[in-house]
Amino acid sequence: MSASAHAVVADLRDRIRQFDGRAQRDRAVLPFGVPEIDERLPGGGLALASLHEICGGGDDAVEASAAMLFAAGIAARTKGQVLWCLTRPDLFAPALAQAGLAPGRVLYVEAGDEKSLLLCFEEGLRHGGLGAVVAEVARLSMTASRRLQLAAEAGGTLGLALRRFRHRKETEVLAQPSAAVTRWRVYMRPSVSLPVPGIGRAQWLLKLARCRAGEAADFDVEATDAEGRIAFSSRLADRSPAAGARHFGAAAG
């Protein structure tokens, strides 16, 4: 197809999207409220009508819990009910509340296996009446992620694929391609020391491993608070923003 024909097709697609109201919806984003992160995301935040992947930096329960809290904080800042799909009944609801996701906003679906879970995930995204859909998945093929991305676009819903692994070997699937708009990894950092005995606010290293139409980067942040918000790490208060967001490779989508 010639370049002129491609241009005509692209123009027609844009016109159709404007007629059915999807253009404005697809451009909508959910900012983190942290300039050092938002300025590196196309549109200034997480695309709402899209699929995003989140996983812990390692294969232990601690970093898996950090990834869960990161996902809960994002979902908490959306409007409406949140559908949480899982296969293991081990989710600790009070922890979600501490990340800003109140119990009354969460609808839980316990699927018998991952195939059923993916079906619930897709249907939730297509529903169009939810603020966000979170699904705890181990395996996510390119085909499955593409279906979920299309469902998120159709329903105008934020989708969060929270990757959970039972065995170290399963983490190898993270190297496989995905249709997710962004892919995040959450690593634990030592908390900041307090002037009195006690434990300071948890600290994370967020790795934006992939960003469609953007670049990969690292961010040192303070963990999710009771309103679902993260903050630029106080460790970096006297450093330039560039020092807090370290690029580690391009990741154009």
Side-chain angles (χ1 to χ4, degrees), residues 98-179:
Q98 289 181 350
L101 191 53
R105 289 190 58 200
V106 186
L107 304 172
Y108 299 99
V109 172
E110 184 179 343
D113 51 49
E114 289 225 342
K115 182 178 180 180
S116 300
L117 182 139
L118 290 174
L119 290 174
C120 294
F121 194 4
E122 183 177 342
E123 287 302 312
L125 291 172
R126 289 188 183 279
H127 181 272
L130 298 168
V133 181
V134 184
E136 302 179 9
V137 297
R139 297 185 177 278
L140 187 63
S141 67
M142 182 63 179
T143 300
S145 67
R146 182 57 181 160
R147 288 182 61 90
L148 293 170
Q149 172 62 25
L150 291 174
E153 292 175 1
T157 307
L158 176 71
L160 301 174
L162 182 58
R163 309 299 296 272
R164 292 191 62 184
F165 306 107
R166 292 182 174 87
H167 309 290
R168 184 183 297 272
K169 290 183 178 180
E170 290 183 328
T171 61
E172 296 174 359
V173 302
L174 293 174
Q176 297 177 358
S178 169

Side-chain angles (χ1 to χ4, degrees), residues 20-148:
D20 67 13
R22 287 177 53 187
Q24 183 175 358
R25 181 182 64 192
D26 290 352
R27 287 196 299 268
V29 299
L30 180 69
F32 281 99
V34 182
E36 294 81 4
I37 299 178
D38 291 335
E39 67 186 11
R40 300 185 181 276
L41 296 171
L46 286 179
L48 285 174
S50 302
L51 174 69
H52 304 273
E53 273 190 51
I54 300 170
C55 72
D59 59 355
D60 59 26
V62 175
E63 290 187 333
S65 297
M68 180 270 291
L69 291 173
F70 180 54
I74 293 171
R77 291 184 292 107
T78 63
K79 297 180 180 179
Q81 296 291 104
V82 174
L83 181 66
W84 199 294
C85 308
L86 51 108
T87 57
R88 289 178 281 177
D90 59 355
L91 190 64
F92 191 53
L96 300 186
Q98 289 181 350
L101 191 53
R105 289 190 58 200
V106 186
L107 304 172
Y108 299 99
V109 172
E110 184 179 343
D113 51 49
E114 289 225 342
K115 182 178 180 180
S116 300
L117 182 139
L118 290 174
L119 290 174
C120 294
F121 194 4
E122 183 177 342
E123 287 302 312
L125 291 172
R126 289 188 183 279
H127 181 272
L130 298 168
V133 181
V134 184
E136 302 179 9
V137 297
R139 297 185 177 278
L140 187 63
S141 67
M142 182 63 179
T143 300
S145 67
R146 182 57 181 160
R147 288 182 61 90
L148 293 170

